[in-house]
Amino acid sequence: MAGYQSVNPNHEGDQHLIAAAHHILKLLGAIRNLSDDTRKLLADLDIHLSIMTGNTINNGGEAIEVEKRLKCAERMVLRWQANQSMIWDTGPGEVSEFLGAIDEVQTLIDSFSGVSVNENGRVRELLYRANNIVQMAMLRLQEELIHILVHHKLYFEPEYVSFHSCRADVIYDESFVSLEDESVEASQRVSNTGSVSGEYIVDLIHPQVVPDLKAIANAMIAANYDQEFCAAFIGARQDALNEYFFVILELEKFSIDDVLKMKWSTLSSEIKKWNWAMKIIIRVYLTSEKQLCNKILGRFDTVCSLCFVEIAKATFLCLLNFGEAVAMGSTQPEKLFCLLDMYEVLDDLLLEIDSLLFEEAGSYIRIEFHELLRKLGHSARQAFQELQKAIAADSSMKPLPRGGIHPLTRYVMNYIKTLTIYDDTLNLLFEDQNMEDTHSIVESETEQDISPITFCPLACHLRSITSALECSLVVKSRLYREDSLRHIFLMNNIHYVVQKIKGSDLRIFFGDEWIRKHIGKFQQHATSYQRATWCSVLSFLRDDGHCSNSVLKTSYKERCREFTNAFEDVYKIQIQWCITDPQLKEDLRISTSLKVIHAYRTFIGRNRISDKHIKYTVDDLEKLLLDFFEGTWRTLRNSRRR
Amino acid sequence: MPATDYQGSFLGRISIRRNQVMSMEGNHEQELEDLELFQKHVADRFAELAPPSPSQPSDDIPSDPILSIAWIRKLLDVFLCCDAEFKAILIMGRDPSQISKPPLDRLIPEMLDRDVKALDICNAITNGIEAVRHYQKLAEIAVSALEQRPFGDGQVKRARKALTSLITAMACEDKDGANYTRTWSFGRRGAAAAGNNKSTGQLRSLSWSVSKNWSAAKQIHAMSANLVAPRGAEASGLALPVYIMSTILLFVMWTMVATIPCQERSGLATHFPVPKQLVWAQSIIGLHEKIAEEWKKKEKKGSAGLLEEMQKLDKLGQSLIEFTDSFQFPAEDERAEEVSAHLAELGETCRRMEEGLVPLQVQIREVFHRIVRSRAEFLDVLDLNGKSSALAM
């Protein structure tokens, strides 16, 4: 077509040239064994030359030739118009015949271009006719296009692409209760599958019909029916995407109002769905859709990118708006993990979004996704700060019975343990924050530690969280009336914190120095406990008179009895207390036992107290000490009375 | 009227003045002056949007017709300017505790609730503009077909097809705002093929909806339900700017809903709960009355949306269909010339839509983000006061 530039052959030289060309064509046409294609090409040239030389078409044989061809094409188009079956269903022969006819008419129209139709009535009439044929043919092509798009669309099941739904759920509860350690132990990060988008291309249209679609696209765009092509193509593909979105993935649309009013449990499950849908839709579906557009419309850059953006726009906006709504909502600490999940999912997909919406047409949506990432990061940071506030604000007025592990301690430790899964993201977010505002981090460790991780922003934040927790625990411990129980409580909780840190990835964030210091802390509480409980009890057994004069004066028998009473009092109370960690319990019992038994044995041995005055033998006492900290109710008389 | 022009100078001035007066005890007078200025600016800005009265010959610069794309863009600019000034008055350099005192402790949460509803309306309108772009494309097909010279049966048929689709699509949209069908399947076979799946149309409308059962008319109603002009002592305090800004927000959202195809508009209120004697509101009330009148006509007549360009498409589309109906080959040149004026106008309308719709969409997004930001700023202030617990949903 490009070669058919019409010129007005005014110069004599041109006229001669054209006449010569005519002659050559005639000679060539006389050759017998020409292929049909070649013969047609020669005829085309001949017609074109005639048009170039002016009005000869009026009565020349060429006009008849043109008319003949138009008639032939017209007949074919009309024949199909009467036929209910689809051309592309009928067979490849019919298809190429039909496309050939269109091509022929198109060639004729093109060759008329530049000829002044007002001067040439015959040409004008032919042109009308040709345009009419094209119009009918295009209408037909559009129908064929829709038919193929609708009947050959393919869907992939979401299971087809398994994204290892990042990590096991950790269920958080605002009341700081009900968080079992096990649920977190089980949570492990499964690394994301590689982000090479090439892996995820699926067929959204049967590959067999892609060349057909391409042929229709070429024909329609060549005839300047690109708008009609786009309307049909976009419409059909949008329908397919909608069906995938709403029917196959069973996703729902929410208004921002809906999302903000959603119950937390619903919201968190919708967020999980979003994460999942983002990956499937952006990484697989839309990437494949873009590929499909490229295959069909690769030759027409602008049409191609326009079609893709139009097809995908509503879905992009829907996903975007849900993210916006979540980022707008409140930032209670339990939302942090959801926010971080969303952040990581989006961060991971951003490159793909960028390449999908690379062209101008979708650029504003692309920018919005970048903005959404920033907002999610901001919300995540806020949720993190909310945790610190929540720890400080947790002020129950009743002491935890039996001095065990406070739910807050469990909550916070499991919470931050889960946080380490997101270390890269969090470090990034906290670094950004430090750049944004000069928010100083509460704690500044001065020791020279080996691992740089110990000084990363996340580590600093984690330590500030645990120190907030410690403060809160100290406040809570003051609720106990007995000093001993206060120490048991703190020992238990700090030991729990240390164990959690030692036994997990948290270790490197806190560093050995920190751990040593805190082991020292709970040991200190163990010592303090012993002092608070046993000093007065054992004072009955002391011989040296350092304790008190009055004690010295009472008879050994009496002192033994008083010791027994004091021991029984302690026993009654402290068997109810609780040390959940078996090792810690064992350690404390042994060291208590050493102290008490040693003092008792020495006392009995040295003072030769006869058995009848002794309520408990040394062995009895040892056994009784085993009941301590079991968190049980037991009456002494039934069990071990002699 | 770029939004930034206003903001820069105004915010600067306010903050400088605040810094000066914050040290002093009573800055009440300053505040009154700020409020007065705010009202004046609101009045001025909306006065500029009012259509020139017929008695008053318009200046040499022709103004954009009311409810045209360009006019709506101006309206949104005005909104952004007013919002910036509003925040400057209410938040900048102010002791946050003032905001948590009655009546603001009630009014601001109400306003934030309105903001959320406005966000959903923005999204619905963004979707609606997609429908308008679809109409534009159909009109463009008709224009490019009829502009071809010489035109014969082929072009006329092509144009007719596109125009019929255009008119049907606009009428469908009008009948049921939730279901603006995109008539992309032109032919009988295509339609049959697409029709195989009955839920297709439903899904399509769902994809462009805000959410199931969402209704723009209801949102507008909810936004206006608790909007009451402050009285007595409150009328000169900070309750006033909150009321003014809420009124502006309501007006802007209402106008967009009335103008651009939008999910579920039936029952859209035409009552505007603003007392007529308020000076700053005169232009807004005037505009509202005018638009409400148009809306009532539209509801009766069942014509397309109020968007000026859409009305043009409707009118010109109808007349060109008439032409194509009576067209006979060969074309009478006089007849062809007759429609060329209409054609040129349709082409010009399409051009304006091409130029304006995407920027309008982007601007609505800007409004969206501005509302999100303003809301967050207010929540932050309330949070500082420790009042957030009741608010943050």
Side-chain angles (χ1 to χ4, degrees):
Chain A
M1 279 164 259
Y4 292 156
Q5 280 292 332
S6 286
V7 282
N8 268 341
N10 292 328
H11 304 292
E12 208 178 319
D14 291 344
Q15 296 278 9
H16 282 305
L17 200 67
I18 288 165
H22 252 302
H23 188 66
I24 294 169
L25 282 176
K26 285 229 165 71
L27 287 176
L28 286 171
I31 299 170
R32 283 196 180 178
N33 52 351
L34 275 181
S35 72
D36 286 354
D37 282 353
T38 318
R39 206 172 285 282
K40 182 173 166 289
L41 190 76
L42 293 176
D44 282 348
L45 276 171
D46 198 28
I47 292 165
H48 192 67
L49 287 171
S50 303
I51 294 164
M52 281 173 84
T53 47
N55 298 345
T56 49
I57 202 165
N58 275 328
N59 32 31
E62 292 82 7
I64 298 163
E65 171 67 17
V66 170
E67 247 184 309
K68 208 177 84 192
R69 289 200 198 178
L70 278 182
K71 193 163 263 169
C72 181
E74 197 171 32
R75 218 179 302 130
M76 172 170 310
V77 173
L78 286 173
R79 184 159 49 88
W80 277 110
Q81 202 153 34
N83 193 336
Q84 278 302 316
S85 50
M86 304 305 288
I87 303 170
W88 264 264
D89 287 350
T90 316
E94 282 79 357
V95 169
S96 65
E97 222 177 46
F98 191 79
L99 287 176
I102 295 173
D103 195 40
E104 175 122 357
V105 178
Q106 203 56 52
T107 312
L108 288 171
I109 292 176
D110 288 336
S111 65
F112 289 140
S113 69
V115 176
S116 168
V117 287
N118 288 332
E119 292 164 21
N120 193 329
R122 190 73 184 275
V123 169
R124 178 159 53 168
E125 202 176 305
L126 287 173
L127 205 52
Y128 286 156
R129 214 162 142 193
N131 276 327
N132 201 13
I133 298 169
V134 169
Q135 202 273 334
M136 286 189 291
M138 289 301 138
L139 199 62
R140 180 61 195 231
L141 280 187
Q142 202 180 20
E143 287 168 5
E144 297 282 340
L145 170 69
I146 291 165
H147 180 81
I148 295 172
L149 286 172
V150 169
H151 287 96
H152 295 277
K153 66 183 174 199
L154 297 174
Y155 293 123
F156 60 97
E157 288 298 312
E159 292 83 56
Y160 174 82
V161 263
S162 64
F163 286 106
H164 307 296
S165 167
C166 284
R167 32 196 90 100
D169 295 349
V170 186
I171 298 141
Y172 289 93
D173 191 300
E174 278 170 273
S175 59
F176 294 140
V177 210
S178 88
L179 185 73
E180 293 305 317
D181 293 73
E182 294 73 41
S183 73
V184 184
E185 309 300 353
S187 91
Q188 275 176 0
R189 182 180 204 172
V190 183
S191 69
N192 255 338
T193 41
S195 61
V196 189
S197 49
E199 295 172 38
Y200 298 117
I201 301 286
V202 293
D203 286 321
L204 298 176
I205 288 276
H206 203 290
Q208 225 179 325
V209 300
V210 170
D212 299 339
L213 294 169
K214 203 170 161 179
I216 294 177
N218 288 344
M220 289 184 78
I221 294 171
N224 285 322
Y225 275 67
D226 46 341
Q227 286 150 304
E228 278 93 339
F229 174 85
C230 289
F233 184 72
I234 292 167
R237 293 309 303 158
Q238 261 178 359
D239 279 357
L241 177 53
N242 290 340
E243 194 175 344
Y244 192 69
F245 190 92
F246 292 109
V247 178
I248 295 179
L249 296 187
E250 294 176 45
L251 295 170
E252 221 180 306
K253 282 191 97 173
F254 297 103
S255 69
I256 290 173
D257 211 12
D258 289 341
V259 175
L260 290 177
K261 284 176 180 156
M262 228 172 239
K263 272 194 341 211
W264 168 237
S265 55
T266 321
L267 181 62
S268 82
S269 85
E270 287 304 328
I271 288 175
K272 287 195 185 71
K273 262 197 227 165
W274 184 87
N275 289 333
W276 174 74
M278 280 286 282
K279 288 184 209 156
I280 291 180
I281 290 182
I282 290 175
R283 179 158 291 157
V284 188
Y285 192 102
L286 290 180
T287 307
S288 306
E289 185 77 51
K290 177 110 179 184
Q291 178 104 333
L292 179 69
C293 289
N294 280 335
K295 273 188 197 154
I296 297 171
L297 293 162
R299 279 176 55 200
F300 314 98
D301 271 353
T302 19
V303 179
C304 183
S305 66
L306 179 113
C307 280
F308 173 74
V309 171
E310 292 297 317
I311 292 164
K313 200 175 197 176
T315 306
F316 270 128
L317 284 176
C318 169
L319 292 168
L320 187 67
N321 271 323
F322 181 81
E324 288 278 352
V326 173
M328 267 176 69
S330 64
T331 46
Q332 59 267 53
E334 53 270 31
K335 220 166 132 184
L336 179 60
F337 298 99
C338 282
L339 289 167
L340 288 171
D341 283 338
M342 288 175 80
Y343 183 93
E344 290 190 345
V345 165
L346 182 55
D347 193 34
D348 197 32
L349 290 170
L350 220 47
L351 275 179
E352 272 134 306
I353 293 173
D354 281 350
S355 73
L356 287 175
L357 297 170
F358 179 70
E359 289 91 353
E360 177 64 27
S363 63
Y364 93 92
I365 301 178
R366 187 186 63 207
I367 294 164
E368 294 248 334
F369 272 107
H370 284 263
E371 188 59 14
L372 175 61
L373 185 73
R374 195 190 59 75
K375 284 184 186 172
L376 288 171
H378 178 74
S379 292
R381 274 198 301 268
Q382 272 191 324
F384 191 92
Q385 281 152 9
E386 287 298 321
L387 173 68
Q388 228 153 343
K389 280 190 212 160
I391 293 170
D394 178 63
S395 55
S396 44
M397 290 316 288
K398 264 168 60 187
L400 186 78
R402 301 186 291 166
I405 313 292
H406 199 279
L408 179 69
T409 314
R410 283 184 202 277
Y411 177 87
V412 170
M413 291 318 291
N414 288 329
Y415 190 101
I416 65 171
K417 199 177 138 190
T418 317
L419 278 183
T420 59
I421 297 171
Y422 303 88
D423 55 346
D424 289 344
T425 303
L426 281 166
N427 273 325
L428 200 74
L429 289 176
F430 290 134
E431 265 163 26
D432 281 359
Q433 180 194 31
N434 289 342
M435 276 189 278
E436 269 175 26
D437 52 282
T438 49
H439 185 84
S440 63
I441 291 149
V442 184
E443 197 185 3
S444 63
E445 296 275 282
T446 45
E447 309 105 272
Q448 294 296 310
D449 209 285
I450 310 117
S451 172
I453 296 173
T454 316
F455 296 104
C456 69
L458 174 59
C460 297
H461 278 87
L462 290 178
R463 285 193 294 269
S464 80
I465 292 270
T466 50
S467 64
L469 174 65
E470 276 179 66
C471 289
S472 175
L473 288 172
V474 169
V475 172
K476 290 180 197 331
S477 75
R478 297 203 184 109
L479 296 168
Y480 293 108
R481 273 182 295 134
E482 300 109 317
D483 274 352
S484 304
L485 186 52
R486 180 178 309 150
H487 291 300
I488 291 289
F489 173 76
L490 287 172
M491 177 194 73
N492 267 332
N493 283 278
I494 295 170
H495 176 266
Y496 179 86
V497 170
V498 171
Q499 283 310 109
K500 274 282 170 187
I501 289 169
K502 268 173 76 182
S504 71
D505 291 344
L506 284 170
R507 185 184 191 113
I508 29 174
F509 291 95
F510 281 80
D512 290 341
E513 184 54 36
W514 189 97
I515 293 171
R516 260 197 300 282
K517 219 159 87 185
H518 282 76
I519 289 176
K521 268 190 187 176
F522 76 74
Q523 283 172 343
Q524 183 58 45
H525 283 295
T527 314
S528 301
Y529 152 78
Q530 283 178 336
R531 194 173 300 136
T533 296
W534 296 106
C535 198
S536 61
V537 176
L538 293 182
S539 66
F540 295 110
L541 305 179
R542 288 219 178 92
D543 288 336
D544 44 26
H546 287 284
C547 270
S548 113
N549 276 329
S550 60
V551 174
L552 191 68
K553 279 172 193 141
T554 51
S555 70
Y556 292 125
K557 271 192 299 187
E558 183 60 16
R559 278 163 62 187
C560 185
R561 201 180 53 76
E562 277 182 81
F563 166 79
T564 307
N565 287 344
F567 181 86
E568 283 182 351
D569 287 344
V570 171
Y571 178 90
K572 266 183 269 176
I573 293 165
Q574 298 200 357
I575 58 164
Q576 296 167 31
W577 295 359
C578 190
I579 299 177
T580 35
D581 185 80
Q583 190 59 49
L584 181 64
K585 185 157 56 185
E586 186 69 16
D587 287 351
L588 189 62
R589 273 187 198 144
I590 287 170
S591 72
T592 307
S593 194
L594 278 177
K595 234 180 191 159
V596 176
I597 301 299
H598 174 75
Y600 193 54
R601 182 180 285 132
T602 314
F603 178 82
I604 289 171
R606 188 181 302 153
N607 301 310
R608 294 188 197 85
I609 297 165
S610 64
D611 282 358
K612 63 176 181 179
H613 296 296
I614 298 171
K615 192 168 175 185
Y616 304 112
T617 64
V618 171
D619 283 354
D620 286 339
L621 216 56
E622 251 181 318
K623 277 184 192 137
L624 285 173
L625 279 170
L626 287 178
D627 294 338
F628 275 62
F629 313 122
E630 287 292 350
T632 50
W633 298 86
R634 182 181 286 145
T635 48
L636 208 59
R637 278 160 202 86
N638 295 342
S639 59
R640 295 189 191 261
R641 196 97 194 248
R642 242 182 137 188
Chain B
M1 192 185 341
T4 41
D5 283 5
Y6 274 101
Q7 287 172 26
S9 60
F10 187 80
L11 298 190
R13 201 162 49 73
I14 285 234
S15 70
I16 290 164
R17 235 180 23 212
R18 277 274 155 69
N19 292 338
Q20 289 165 347
V21 292
M22 273 319 272
S23 51
M24 291 182 270
E25 266 296 286
N27 55 355
H28 188 62
E29 265 176 39
Q30 197 61 62
E31 190 170 291
L32 281 181
E33 200 186 304
D34 282 349
L35 283 182
E36 205 115 304
L37 260 173
F38 181 47
Q39 293 178 60
K40 188 179 172 315
H41 288 153
V42 169
D44 290 351
R45 284 175 196 149
F46 279 92
E48 278 177 43
L49 288 172
S53 59
S55 59
Q56 213 179 314
S58 61
D59 311 339
D60 32 355
I61 314 150
S63 62
D64 297 303
I66 185 169
L67 297 182
S68 64
I69 294 168
W71 184 87
I72 294 172
R73 294 191 57 196
K74 273 190 187 167
L75 176 70
L76 295 179
D77 275 340
V78 166
F79 171 81
L80 291 173
C81 290
C82 292
D83 182 68
E85 193 170 340
F86 168 67
K87 270 191 292 179
I89 288 177
L90 218 63
I91 298 181
M92 241 182 175
R94 183 176 294 283
D95 177 7
S97 68
Q98 276 181 284
I99 284 177
S100 54
K101 272 190 248 165
L104 291 190
D105 62 336
R106 174 178 55 84
L107 294 176
I108 288 188
E110 279 176 7
M111 180 183 73
L112 298 183
D113 201 39
R114 259 176 235 125
D115 281 349
V116 173
K117 296 191 161 57
L119 292 178
D120 282 325
I121 291 176
C122 284
N123 282 336
I125 296 294
T126 305
N127 299 342
I129 292 176
E130 285 303 319
V132 181
R133 287 185 61 218
H134 179 64
Y135 307 151
Q136 174 207 333
K137 282 180 193 139
L138 290 170
E140 275 170 357
I141 295 178
V143 171
S144 65
L146 293 178
E147 268 176 353
Q148 256 180 56
R149 285 293 175 274
F151 73 74
D153 243 0
Q155 285 93 337
V156 169
K157 275 196 218 152
R158 186 183 179 191
R160 201 188 134 66
K161 180 114 233 141
L163 289 171
T164 319
S165 300
L166 168 68
I167 299 300
T168 322
M170 292 211 291
C172 276
E173 188 285 315
D174 192 62
K175 232 180 281 161
D176 185 359
N179 274 322
Y180 32 110
T181 29
R182 278 122 202 279
T183 41
W184 50 266
S185 48
F186 291 79
R188 57 205 154 93
R189 292 183 190 83
N196 284 346
N197 188 346
K198 275 195 177 168
S199 61
T200 304
Q202 235 176 335
L203 289 177
R204 195 173 317 140
S205 68
L206 203 55
S207 84
W208 286 106
S209 70
V210 175
S211 71
K212 234 196 281 171
N213 302 327
W214 188 88
S215 150
K218 275 188 201 145
Q219 300 299 307
I220 291 288
H221 180 76
M223 281 175 78
S224 63
N226 52 8
L227 188 60
V228 185
R231 283 161 199 229
E234 281 181 16
S236 60
L238 289 177
L240 183 63
V242 174
Y243 175 70
I244 294 177
M245 201 55 222
S246 295
T247 306
I248 293 172
L249 183 73
L250 173 64
F251 174 71
V252 170
M253 292 302 146
W254 177 82
T255 304
M256 288 208 290
V257 169
T259 314
I260 295 162
C262 190
Q263 188 181 353
E264 199 47 60
R265 298 189 283 182
S266 54
L268 181 65
T270 47
H271 170 68
F272 197 52
V274 179
K276 290 220 169 23
Q277 70 275 14
L278 293 171
V279 180
W280 59 267
Q282 288 313 305
S283 300
I284 300 181
I285 293 171
L287 284 168
H288 182 274
E289 275 170 3
K290 200 168 159 49
I291 300 167
E293 216 169 280
E294 293 291 316
W295 175 257
K296 279 180 205 155
K297 263 193 259 169
K298 169 197 138 53
E299 274 199 318
K300 239 183 250 158
K301 210 176 78 185
S303 68
L306 291 189
L307 188 70
E308 204 250 353
E309 283 82 358
M310 271 171 65
Q311 305 221 41
K312 277 251 166 76
L313 291 193
D314 193 32
K315 199 187 84 196
L316 298 168
Q318 303 271 16
S319 100
L320 287 173
I321 285 180
E322 260 170 51
F323 163 71
T324 55
D325 280 343
S326 59
F327 177 81
Q328 286 210 328
F329 185 80
E332 318 140 42
D333 280 352
E334 321 83 66
R335 187 87 169 92
E337 291 313 311
E338 215 179 284
V339 294
S340 71
H342 280 173
L343 194 58
E345 205 180 344
L346 189 63
E348 169 62 17
T349 309
C350 285
R351 198 188 54 74
R352 271 192 285 142
M353 293 172 93
E354 177 66 30
E355 273 172 11
L357 282 176
V358 173
L360 176 61
Q361 231 168 6
V362 172
Q363 202 180 2
I364 287 173
R365 216 50 206 171
E366 194 186 334
V367 167
F368 178 95
H369 288 302
R370 172 68 75 81
I371 295 173
V372 169
R373 208 162 49 236
S374 297
R375 184 177 170 277
E377 280 168 38
F378 276 106
L379 282 175
D380 279 349
V381 174
L382 291 170
D383 195 35
L384 284 178
N385 294 319
K387 290 247 172 184
S388 62
S389 51
L391 241 167
M393 285 169 290

